[in-house]
Amino acid sequence: MKKLLSGNEGIALGAYEAGVKVVTGYPGTPSTEITETLSKYKDIYTEWSVNEKVALEVAAGAALGGSRTLVTMKHVGVNVAADPLFTMSYIGVKGGLVIVSADDPQSHSSQNEQDNRHYARAAKLPMFEPSDSEDARQLTRLAFEVSEKFDTPVFLRPTTRICHSYSVVDVNGNERKEVDCGKFERNLSKHVMIPAYARARHFDVEDRMAKLKEFAETTSVNTTEINDTEIGFITSGISYNYVKEMAPNASVLKLGMIYPLPENKIKDFCSKIKKVYVVEELEPFFEEQIKVMGCDVEGKKFFPITGELSPDNVAELLYGKKELLPAEKILARPPALCPGCPHSFVYNVLKKHNILVSGDIGCYTLGVMPPFQVIDTCIDMGASITAAQGLEIADPSIKHAAVIGDSTFAHSGITGLINAAYNKRNTLVIVLDNSITAMTGMQHNPFSGETIRGEQAVQVNYQYLAKAVGIEDDNFMEVNAYKPDEIESAIVKLSDSGKLSLLVVKGICVIYNRKKNKKKEGV
Amino acid sequence: MDKVFNLLIVGVGGQGTILASNIVTQAAMNAGLDAKKSEIHGMSQRGGAVFSHVRFGKKVYSPVIAKGNVDVLISLEEMETLRWTEFLNKDSQLIVLNNRILPANTAEYPQGLTDKIKSQFNNVVSIDPEEYSKKLGNAKYLNVFLLGVLSNYVELPEDCWKNAIESLVPQGTFDKNYEAFLTGKECK
């Protein structure tokens, strides 16, 4: 049977078929639906982890314990997980460990458009990149095999346009293959990375890289199509489709394995084709390596480093600029807090009292948009609480507050709160709790009291937490998001106290509430 | 169908572009064609302009339509029609539902857009949402109604549409939706 699947569903299907046993991750567009899809299979353990570092560490343990394990995150999540990532490269695996880094060229839903192919090179890990949903499924299965064969974590790097595009997958025979990878085996010099053991393991990593380079030369996912020998393209992922669409007669070297590169295959291709272009989104990652191989190719001279590519970029290279109907100037529809969001009241109060607001990632970043324009900084997950401390140190004469959502607070806000208490800072920390991780499409977290499957779970208690880190009783308050007067008096009182304070504003996400009620009514 | 058919569906978040694009894509698959569909989820969609690229034919590579190449545009909102002109050409078939949704924090909806659209494009079917909501009994059947209009401009067998609608609309709403589709088919 043929089914229309998104790239994320393709990855989930491939992981299921590969016999994945453990799946961890932190929600992040465009990766979220992979773990959500896998959570529907009862025979697979899935969790929303507290953050990406935790997700990768749980996954590392599961893989060392012999389970095939998938861990999912968006590109910036890999920054959070980078600490275990680099050392897991030295340690290796027992059950296959596949790390999905869903990159977001064009920053559709992210704070930057970093190119995570660099992580593969930096951490010395193999990386695969799918070009459609079937490819995503196949490469996920292959990634588990490569992980076990070469004793290495493996990266799978889809981009937004793959994650959220749909293509036809023939799901006939999608049987799950259970793989027995054995159990954890004690091996101190491999699993305990003290300097002496790490130095020795580095040699193993270099040996592995050499073997992976050989594998890259022979794997069937790096394919050469020789057609017109006048012009050829080296490409991967979504860009492959743009090339095939616009240059159907050109020769193409498609890379399914994007690190390490198949040097001989590339040199061979370049020797047969008169003019070779490298088509890749974001950084000249292939282009620079291929130029070092001594091949005469062109890439970023014709294609932008910023943003996504499109079929138009390839068309322009081949046929020149196309004459288009002029773009119309019409009113913008910028993203905004949802109509009826209970947390808009807080922004009005912060604006009125002229408080410097350090913001965070998630829905509440939208406080930067009109009519509020009340967020002064947004850096990364958890940085509201910590950047506010730095801003306060730099200028204690003005009023400061940090604004953060519940999931982000659990992700990496709590550590910052402890830092504030320990270092005698006097910031007002405001958690806007809407009972869910909303921006990524309603995922549970440690403050929502349910697991990924909707089972009841521990719900972290804000008041005990405040007490435990050392916030005085009078400096903890919890108010109802629908009561602007109470919010205002709380902000004024806590801000004037000049002491570290935690204010929790509670108001359930309106969209989540609607969903929940619909479920109750059985609609 | 050797040539790949390019359909762009646009609107504002929450208008149901995804169900509509799912039905068309499924109908194409039912006809044995290759199909791809692309949309963007996440932050940019909060209250924002939404789009869905649908492409089908013998073999489809890019899930994204090249600029200037749209065969049919279905727009669920008047102003949104003009946001995507770079993807259209003079002869693109436009099917426009004249809903007017005021963007957040703006006072007035721009006037005269339908006239502007009709002067710029040679083939425009302009639909009054109120008139057809009444005719169909409920505004929620409008999107499938628009697919009925679309069916006049794309060669897909009737039963492929019917099966796609049946498999994708909410349970118990097939009869009403299929009726809406047939009503749309009469609307050229």
Side-chain angles (χ1 to χ4, degrees):
Chain A
M1 196 180 75
K2 287 185 173 175
K3 267 176 114 169
L4 190 69
L5 295 187
S6 69
N8 282 346
E9 290 167 328
I11 292 169
L13 178 63
Y16 170 77
E17 291 170 331
V20 72
K21 286 204 175 76
V22 177
V23 180
T24 67
Y26 184 79
T29 313
S31 70
T32 314
E33 298 85 357
I34 304 166
T35 297
E36 274 187 335
T37 305
L38 285 162
S39 74
K40 287 170 192 148
Y41 294 105
K42 290 269 180 291
D43 42 352
I44 299 173
Y45 172 85
T46 47
E47 71 168 42
W48 284 131
S49 310
V50 166
N51 64 38
E52 294 86 351
K53 173 181 177 325
V54 171
L56 180 52
E57 290 160 351
V58 173
L64 289 175
S67 296
R68 281 199 164 182
T69 303
L70 185 78
V71 50
T72 69
M73 58 196 72
K74 66 184 293 171
H75 60 336
V76 287
V78 181
N79 302 335
V80 179
D83 198 357
L85 177 77
F86 280 73
T87 303
M88 276 309 288
S89 174
Y90 280 32
I91 291 175
V93 303
K94 185 153 185 76
L97 175 59
V98 177
I99 304 161
V100 179
S101 160
D103 283 17
D104 189 20
Q106 197 70 30
S107 268
H108 288 288
S109 208
S110 306
Q111 63 267 43
N112 74 36
E113 47 183 358
Q114 67 187 48
D115 188 332
N116 276 11
R117 292 179 298 173
H118 291 306
Y119 269 117
R121 199 175 183 186
K124 312 230 166 186
L125 296 174
M127 185 180 255
F128 295 90
E129 180 176 17
S131 66
D132 62 21
S133 305
E134 176 63 32
D135 218 21
R137 170 200 195 183
Q138 302 287 353
L139 289 179
T140 305
R141 295 204 301 220
L142 177 65
F144 279 106
E145 287 168 24
V146 168
S147 175
E148 285 154 15
K149 187 173 174 195
F150 294 92
D151 191 11
T152 177
V154 174
F155 264 124
L156 184 70
R157 184 236 189 198
T159 56
T160 303
R161 209 44 95 160
I162 296 297
C163 294
H164 290 166
S165 287
Y166 292 74
S167 57
V168 181
V169 174
D170 190 347
V171 295
N172 269 341
N174 69 319
E175 275 166 27
R176 181 169 163 85
K177 196 176 117 204
E178 299 289 347
V179 181
D180 184 6
C181 301
K183 289 195 162 139
F184 180 79
E185 279 172 87
R186 196 162 198 236
N187 186 343
L188 300 182
S189 61
K190 184 170 185 283
H191 296 155
V192 185
M193 281 304 100
I194 55 170
Y197 294 159
R199 278 192 292 272
R201 284 297 297 169
H202 192 179
F203 287 95
D204 296 323
V205 170
E206 295 306 319
D207 286 347
R208 184 180 73 203
M209 279 309 296
K211 285 179 191 145
L212 283 163
K213 275 183 190 159
E214 283 170 28
F215 175 78
E217 299 287 356
T218 55
T219 175
S220 62
V221 302
N222 292 333
T223 54
T224 306
E225 306 164 41
I226 301 290
N227 297 310
D228 183 354
T229 53
E230 291 293 309
I231 181 167
F233 295 89
I234 299 174
T235 186
S236 71
I238 190 68
S239 306
Y240 167 76
N241 296 298
Y242 302 152
V243 166
K244 289 297 287 181
E245 184 83 29
M246 289 300 169
N249 300 320
S251 298
V252 181
L253 171 53
K254 178 195 179 197
L255 300 169
M257 184 173 183
I258 57 171
Y259 193 78
L261 293 180
E263 184 166 347
N264 293 331
K265 205 167 213 171
I266 289 168
K267 281 181 177 164
D268 183 55
F269 181 79
C270 291
S271 73
K272 286 177 182 150
I273 311 298
K274 204 164 161 193
K275 181 81 202 169
V276 176
Y277 296 96
V278 180
V279 187
E280 56 189 325
E281 286 182 324
L282 302 176
E283 298 295 311
F285 182 77
F286 299 150
E287 183 185 348
E288 285 177 354
Q289 292 181 73
I290 293 169
K291 281 181 170 163
V292 170
M293 293 170 195
C295 298
D296 181 21
V297 296
E298 302 269 23
K300 291 297 164 188
K301 189 174 164 190
F302 300 100
F303 297 97
I305 286 178
T306 52
E308 276 187 311
L309 296 182
S310 73
D312 308 303
N313 295 102
V314 181
E316 194 177 323
L317 171 82
L318 296 169
Y319 316 112
K321 227 177 169 70
K322 187 175 178 179
E323 205 168 308
L324 297 171
L325 293 177
E328 292 283 336
K329 270 199 179 154
I330 55 170
L331 291 173
R333 293 186 192 271
L337 280 179
C338 301
C341 176
H343 293 287
S344 54
F345 297 119
V346 177
Y347 289 116
N348 290 327
V349 176
L350 291 168
K351 196 169 187 176
K352 183 175 159 194
H353 290 275
N354 212 9
I355 295 172
L356 196 160
V357 179
S358 306
D360 224 302
I361 306 289
C363 291
Y364 308 123
T365 321
L366 294 170
V368 73
M369 304 302 285
F372 311 109
Q373 294 182 295
V374 72
I375 299 280
D376 292 297
T377 66
C378 170
I379 308 168
D380 70 306
M381 294 287 285
S384 58
I385 297 175
T386 38
Q389 294 164 42
L391 282 159
E392 187 211 325
I393 296 163
D395 185 357
S397 71
I398 49 172
K399 289 195 167 168
H400 299 272
V403 171
I404 186 167
D406 45 287
S407 186
T408 315
F409 186 58
H411 178 283
S412 46
I414 294 170
T415 331
L417 189 67
I418 296 171
N419 191 69
Y422 171 59
N423 288 301
K424 304 178 185 178
R425 303 279 29 105
N426 303 314
T427 315
L428 166 59
V429 175
I430 305 173
V431 179
L432 303 181
D433 185 319
N434 64 356
S435 305
I436 204 78
T437 316
M439 178 59 93
T440 46
M442 313 300 149
Q443 288 77 34
H444 287 291
N445 67 60
F447 286 97
S448 73
E450 286 179 41
T451 67
I452 188 169
R453 291 211 175 110
E455 293 154 4
Q456 207 183 343
V458 156
Q459 190 168 16
V460 179
N461 184 307
Y462 287 106
Q463 192 169 5
Y464 292 167
L465 183 71
K467 203 173 173 69
V469 304
I471 292 172
E472 291 175 23
D473 287 352
D474 284 350
N475 287 82
F476 171 80
M477 290 178 82
E478 199 171 291
V479 295
N480 182 333
Y482 286 97
K483 298 198 168 151
D485 292 348
E486 287 180 22
I487 294 171
E488 182 163 15
S489 61
I491 288 178
V492 170
K493 186 193 142 196
L494 296 173
S495 189
D496 287 350
S497 77
K499 290 178 186 165
L500 179 66
S501 305
L502 180 63
L503 171 64
V504 180
V505 182
K506 283 207 149 181
I508 190 169
C509 165
V510 283
I511 296 177
Y512 176 53
N513 203 28
R514 204 184 301 150
K515 262 190 169 174
K516 252 172 77 167
N517 290 338
K518 266 192 182 173
K519 221 176 175 183
K520 254 188 233 157
E521 290 160 18
V523 180
Chain B
M1 193 180 258
D2 273 356
K3 183 204 166 291
V4 172
F5 187 86
N6 295 318
L7 168 69
L8 181 62
I9 305 180
V10 305
V12 177
Q15 281 196 300
T17 50
I18 291 180
L19 178 64
S21 64
N22 280 344
I23 293 173
V24 187
T25 315
Q26 187 61 50
M29 284 168 65
N30 290 349
L33 298 172
D34 189 19
K36 282 188 180 171
K37 172 175 116 96
S38 184
E39 53 219 14
I40 296 295
H41 313 181
M43 185 173 206
S44 51
Q45 297 342 112
R46 283 287 150 99
V50 297
F51 62 87
S52 188
H53 292 238
V54 180
R55 309 190 69 227
F56 49 89
K58 205 167 156 190
K59 171 74 192 166
V60 180
Y61 283 104
S62 172
V64 181
I65 303 168
K67 285 182 178 165
N69 281 4
V70 164
D71 293 305
V72 176
L73 171 85
I74 296 180
S75 172
L76 304 175
E77 207 274 349
E78 189 183 34
M79 186 197 317
E80 290 309 307
T81 314
L82 289 168
R83 197 179 299 282
W84 307 92
T85 47
E86 281 190 312
F87 282 89
L88 311 176
N89 57 65
K90 287 243 161 235
D91 296 319
S92 298
Q93 176 65 48
L94 273 60
I95 302 170
V96 182
L97 187 65
N98 285 319
N99 275 317
R100 293 177 166 193
I101 301 171
L102 198 62
N105 310 309
T106 40
E108 243 178 281
Y109 199 92
Q111 296 299 306
L113 294 185
T114 294
D115 290 342
K116 192 170 182 182
I117 292 164
K118 284 186 173 164
S119 72
Q120 275 196 23
F121 297 95
N122 298 328
N123 310 304
V124 182
V125 178
S126 189
I127 310 277
D128 175 7
E130 277 184 33
E131 183 191 337
Y132 279 94
S133 293
K134 267 186 211 149
K135 219 176 236 180
L136 304 170
N138 195 319
K140 67 185 176 192
Y141 304 121
L142 278 170
N143 289 3
V144 177
F145 160 83
L146 293 173
L147 298 183
V149 183
L150 167 70
S151 71
N152 294 312
Y153 305 101
V154 52
E155 284 170 40
L156 289 175
E158 178 90 19
D159 61 319
C160 295
W161 282 107
K162 194 175 173 181
N163 292 339
I165 295 166
E166 194 160 17
S167 61
L168 289 167
V169 297
Q171 255 190 349
T173 68
F174 169 70
D175 288 344
K176 278 291 203 183
N177 271 304
Y178 191 58
E179 204 182 299
F181 178 83
L182 294 176
T183 310
K185 215 171 165 55
E186 295 308 310
C187 193
K188 294 177 192 180

